[in-house]
Amino acid sequence: MGRPFSSMEDGDAEVGKVLRYSSFNRLKELEVNKNGVWELHRLPNNTFFRKGTVGDWKSYLTPQMAERIDQLTQLKLQGTGLSLDDF
């Protein structure tokens, strides 16, 4: 964005590193995310990673759930100049 936090971050190499280290595929393949457990709720860490495929949400949400999310999102976007139609 043209405004680094520090001189270390000023450059394409640093941006490339951030993109690599935070990519969905890399995070999904980390051992801790494959086999670790979120102790607070005793959930496997891999619970937080799905296929990452466009439209896969339909495998998890009912039409009613999707409609409710759309309603809540529109409510939260009111006054921002954004709408679901923008996406």
Side-chain angles (χ1 to χ4, degrees), residues 51-83:
K51 291 183 210 172
T53 305
V54 173
D56 190 45
W57 62 270
K58 294 175 187 174
S59 301
Y60 298 89
L61 302 178
T62 66
Q64 294 82 10
M65 293 165 80
E67 178 61 30
R68 181 70 177 133
I69 290 171
D70 285 350
Q71 290 171 354
L72 289 170
T73 302
Q74 287 181 354
L75 182 66
K76 296 292 184 182
L77 291 175
Q78 282 180 351
T80 67
L82 300 172
S83 79

Side-chain angles (χ1 to χ4, degrees), residues 34-59:
K34 286 179 171 180
N35 300 312
V37 174
W38 184 27
E39 292 297 332
L40 181 64
H41 295 286
R42 294 196 173 106
L43 289 171
N45 288 344
N46 64 7
T47 301
F48 301 102
F49 294 91
R50 295 191 328 259
K51 291 183 210 172
T53 305
V54 173
D56 190 45
W57 62 270
K58 294 175 187 174
S59 301

